Amino acid sequence: MSAGNIKTVLLKILKWLGITIAFILFLMYIIPILFPGQISNQVKIFANKHLAGELDYKKTHLTFFRHFPSLTVSVDDVILKGSKPFEQDTLLAAKDLSVGINLKNLIFNGEIKIDEIYVNDAVANVFVNSKGQANYNVYVSKPSKKPKDTTEAGASIKLDLIKLKNWNIKYNDHAANVLVNAKGLNYTGRGGLSEDIFDLETDLDIDKVDFALNRIWYAQQKSLHADLITRINTNALTFVLRKNELRINELPVKFTGFVSILKDGYNLNINATTEKTTIKDMISVLPPQYLHWAKDTKIEGKSDLVISLKGRFSEQKNLKPRLKANLIVKDGFVSNSNAPVPMNNLNMNLNVDLPALDTNKLLLDLKNLSFDLGKDNEFRAVVRTQGMDEMKIFAKIKGAVDLATLDAALGLEDIELKGLLNTDIQSNGIFSLDKKLFPKTKGFLNLKKGWLKTKYYPNPIQNINLMANILNSDGTFKSLGVKIDPFKFDFEGNPVFVNADLQNFEDLLYKVRAKGTLNVGRIYQVFKRE
């Protein structure tokens, strides 16, 4: 082919390409002009039929350019009220909400099919009261018998995409005592969301997450990334976790199992595991006040965490799931730059079992806690407890620790410790105040040249010397004996001396000799107590 022919072919290609682009731009301009009333009215009809909560908004736009190349109906300053009995409370407020229209159905069939939803810059307040009533039940899957507007056929919904940008969500469930705050949430969900059973592909990023259970904060200001595939059965309202990979700060977590939403609560079977993680990864999910410490401390070692939550939750039937957890730490190493020696050979194996989320059935099984702090500084502990009001206890604790070395190795900021601590305690039995039971126990605790200072008070408690022996031979308060000989310390230039022999805690017999001057109010300030 000659150069002239090539030039001619290229010019034709460019010509038709230009015509095509111009035609597309013309369609993008003319379609919003041809269909604005029809589309806006039918979307409004759809909202009236399918939303139980009151929807209010300001401007309406029909354009290709907000979420190119999708044709979208967009509304500004959206406010959606909650479902009964929360009709007066705002469930969602958003800067703009857009629904994508299936262009093929619109042009060839004149049908309005919504297949995409976009919501930007939103604040959501999700609330469940103590009776289990929720404000988020605003979507009605089937049209009511008497729709508010029957002049048009209305739109249909067959979602393939949900995209949320820059959301702040507060979830407050009084029935389950759960509080979640999520700030800077960005979410993309893809799948046949209108099918009875479909796989939802999820990409989720949250800048900061706070999570509290029973008014205890378990996570604060944590970042979260999730890559999920969830099989959803809308008939049974069941969510099967197929591929669920999370990253909480630096900690990767994998989830498996399912969640079923019932009329009176939930049915759960969720397993979460961390794989091939380090102690430093695990520490990254601690509350913010501890993260500064982690940055200035050298931390090495392996760590694995397994958590399961299984069973039904129903406030009406007083049912709650069972929580289990296992934390393993291997070959740990912790050292602050100011430490003369590191904490080495840190190993731990801890199991937690909480049937029906009932603390009176709580099982804590510390199968092993051990570490070394240089020569002649070894600590070993095995502790098992079950229950709270009536607690079964088994414990073996033995070790010699230089507290100044421990303080320096951990890089503790709020407290300064010194002294040589030596202990050997064995305990086995039941502790109950009501039944006056105390585990069979034999052991001692010896502290020499102790020193304690906190950030809450300028002066330390110093020259602490304590020798305490404890003995219980038959598992009752009657046989419990504690001998303290001596307990000495200095505080603000005033020495204090205590010598005590306490026997029969059922009907206490005691010999106590004390000498010294102690300002109780000031010593309470050392521990930040009124």
Side-chain angles (χ1 to χ4, degrees), residues 331-349:
D331 304 322
F333 176 96
V334 181
S335 179
N336 190 268
S337 57
N338 298 321
V341 295
M343 175 185 283
N344 206 2
N345 298 319
L346 172 62
N347 292 279
M348 180 171 65
N349 188 345

Side-chain angles (χ1 to χ4, degrees), residues 2-172:
S2 66
N5 290 335
I6 294 174
K7 184 177 180 181
T8 302
V9 171
L10 287 176
L11 287 173
K12 287 183 178 181
I13 292 174
L14 291 173
K15 176 182 176 182
W16 284 107
L17 183 61
I19 292 172
T20 302
I21 293 173
F23 181 70
I24 291 173
L25 292 173
F26 174 74
L27 286 178
M28 293 175 65
Y29 172 77
I30 197 67
I31 287 175
I33 296 175
L34 293 175
F35 296 97
Q38 178 185 2
I39 293 176
S40 298
N41 288 337
Q42 292 194 16
V43 169
K44 183 178 180 181
I45 293 168
F46 172 82
N48 286 336
K49 289 181 179 180
H50 292 274
L51 291 179
E54 180 187 346
L55 178 68
D56 190 20
Y57 53 86
K58 292 185 179 177
K59 268 189 176 182
T60 304
H61 309 270
L62 180 61
T63 178
F64 279 98
F65 298 105
R66 282 204 173 185
H67 301 283
F68 182 83
S70 299
L71 174 64
T72 57
V73 178
S74 302
V75 291
D76 296 340
D77 300 326
V78 181
I79 295 178
L80 176 63
K81 301 291 186 179
S83 56
K84 292 182 179 180
F86 308 100
E87 305 99 317
Q88 304 303 316
D89 300 327
T90 298
L91 171 63
L92 175 69
K95 182 180 179 181
D96 67 81
L97 181 152
S98 303
V99 293
I101 306 300
N102 187 299
L103 195 58
K104 178 182 176 182
N105 286 86
L106 175 64
I107 294 175
F108 295 104
N109 301 324
E111 296 176 349
I112 310 301
K113 287 189 177 292
I114 298 170
D115 55 12
E116 298 173 352
I117 290 181
Y118 306 84
V119 186
N120 296 331
D121 300 319
V123 176
N125 290 292
V126 182
F127 183 80
V128 182
N129 64 19
S130 57
K131 297 178 181 178
Q133 296 172 307
N135 71 337
Y136 55 79
N137 296 317
V138 294
Y139 180 72
V140 181
S141 59
K142 294 181 179 180
S144 59
K145 293 181 180 179
K146 295 182 180 180
K148 296 180 181 179
D149 190 340
T150 58
T151 59
E152 299 286 350
S156 63
I157 188 166
K158 191 175 178 65
L159 286 178
D160 294 313
L161 174 67
I162 295 178
K163 198 160 189 174
L164 313 179
K165 184 179 178 181
N166 192 28
W167 276 50
N168 293 336
I169 299 175
K170 184 174 183 179
Y171 176 85
N172 193 350

